Amino acid sequence: MNRVKWGILTVLLVLAAVLFFNYLNEDEGYSREVFLFDTACTVTAYGNDAEQAVDAAIERISEIHRLTDAFSENSVIAKINCAKAGEIVEVGDDIAEILSVAVSVSEKSGGAFEISIAPVVKLWNFDGGGKVPDELEIAQAMKRAGNGKIIFDGESKTVVKTDDGAAVDLGGAAKGYAGDVAIAVLSEFDVRGAIVDLGGNISCFGSNPNSEDGVWRIGLQKPFAPTGEYDEDNIIEISGGAVVTSGTYQRYFEKDGEIYHHIIDPETGYPAVQEYSGVTIVTDSSLLGDCLATACFVLGKDEGTHLAEEYGAKILFE
Ligand code: AMP
Ligand code: MG
């Protein structure tokens, strides 16, 4: 009898030691970082196929980057932007998916989200360090932008421009879509959980092995603080889906003491003026979250909250 007791005690002690060891050693999973979409992109997965899953997801994220990069000659977006008015451009499945959500958010936001804003965004030259355009330049670029300049047909998956100078900018949506497709790829593998961080754009699925309840806890970047710094008491808990932030501090330049950020109000052609510096959307799809975050930033608290509610998304202003 004593032997049985000792046996049970030993088994319990070993079990406790294993649990304690696991507690001390977080599951780091497999993680890889690449620089795409002008930001650090990190994909982490946990489980048997973690490595293959992460590599395949990064491959797909890179593909979306290639297709949407206006600066790459071979991208679909460059093709649209170089096309003449009336020319039919076939866009393929990925761009069609992005455009269908972008057009929906554009319509529901009354044009606060507007992919045809490209000629105006280009003037501000955020990619080249920034430049404050003069009013005349903005007025001229505004004539090339706005509702009706880019016609998307979801059935034939084609785009037609109504103005030679019209152009598409997917800067407010492409990363979001990349998050969604990365999750779709990851979930095809034998992984129990994964998280995709595309700079202000987080997507996750499955169970977080480093939390007792499997929930993912996402810290919100502190505006204008070093990357990765977040408020301990501003954590979003999700069991899957996306947390997407649009913030002035993500891309801006300073001129004569003024800050000029990259979220443009399509009504004025100037950076949207708001009392907050970031908008976060929590929703299932990171593509939808991305379009909504940009749109709601432009709309302001009342209309932005209303729009997010229309899509069943949660919204936070910071
Ligand atoms: P995000 O960081 O998702 O808010 O997207 C901002 C990026 O989207 C900018 O860098 C521009 O490339 C583009 N953009 C700026 N303003 C708008 C707008 N009102 N609607 C759609 N895209 C925009
Ligand atoms: Mg966006």
Side-chain angles (χ1 to χ4, degrees), residues 227-239:
T227 306
E229 223 171 87
Y230 59 88
D231 243 332
E232 289 286 350
D233 44 36
N234 203 4
I235 306 279
I236 294 178
E237 299 190 348
I238 50 169
S239 52

Side-chain angles (χ1 to χ4, degrees), residues 3 19 30 40 78 80 95 135 137 191 199 205 211 218 239 260 266 274 299 303:
R3 264 203 196 160
L19 286 175
Y30 177 77
I80 297 172
I95 301 292
E135 277 176 33
E137 284 178 300
V191 296
F205 94 95
S211 77
I218 316 292
S239 52
Y260 297 93
Q274 297 297 1
L299 283 177
E303 282 184 72

Side-chain angles (χ1 to χ4, degrees), residues 113 171-173 244 246 289-291 293-294:
F113 186 78
V244 184
S246 274
D290 200 355
C291 298
T294 311

Side-chain angles (χ1 to χ4, degrees), residues 111-262:
F113 186 78
E114 184 52 72
I115 53 155
S116 73
I117 194 72
V120 182
V121 172
K122 195 172 169 200
L123 275 185
W124 287 92
N125 192 25
F126 292 102
D127 298 301
K131 178 207 152 200
V132 183
D134 61 47
E135 277 176 33
L136 192 65
E137 284 178 300
I138 293 196
Q140 278 165 347
M142 289 285 275
K143 285 190 196 146
R144 308 256 172 269
N147 193 15
K149 291 290 188 290
I150 305 281
I151 315 283
F152 167 61
D153 180 50
E155 224 154 82
S156 59
K157 295 179 182 164
T158 56
V159 160
V160 174
K161 304 199 303 194
T162 56
D163 185 315
D164 286 343
V168 169
D169 180 336
L170 291 186
K175 260 196 309 177
Y177 181 64
D180 283 343
V181 296
I183 291 294
V185 168
L186 288 158
S187 57
E188 282 171 11
F189 288 83
D190 180 14
V191 296
R192 58 203 147 100
I195 182 159
V196 178
D197 179 351
L198 307 177
N201 210 311
I202 312 280
S203 306
C204 39
F205 94 95
S207 169
N208 176 3
N210 296 315
S211 77
E212 268 175 29
D213 50 7
V215 164
W216 303 92
R217 292 187 169 76
I218 316 292
L220 296 185
Q221 171 69 38
K222 263 194 207 170
F224 299 102
T227 306
E229 223 171 87
Y230 59 88
D231 243 332
E232 289 286 350
D233 44 36
N234 203 4
I235 306 279
I236 294 178
E237 299 190 348
I238 50 169
S239 52
V243 179
V244 184
T245 301
S246 274
T248 55
Y249 51 90
Q250 290 170 336
R251 217 166 193 216
Y252 65 94
F253 66 90
E254 258 180 276
K255 181 91 204 300
D256 302 330
E258 267 305 308
I259 282 187
Y260 297 93
H261 66 81
H262 68 140

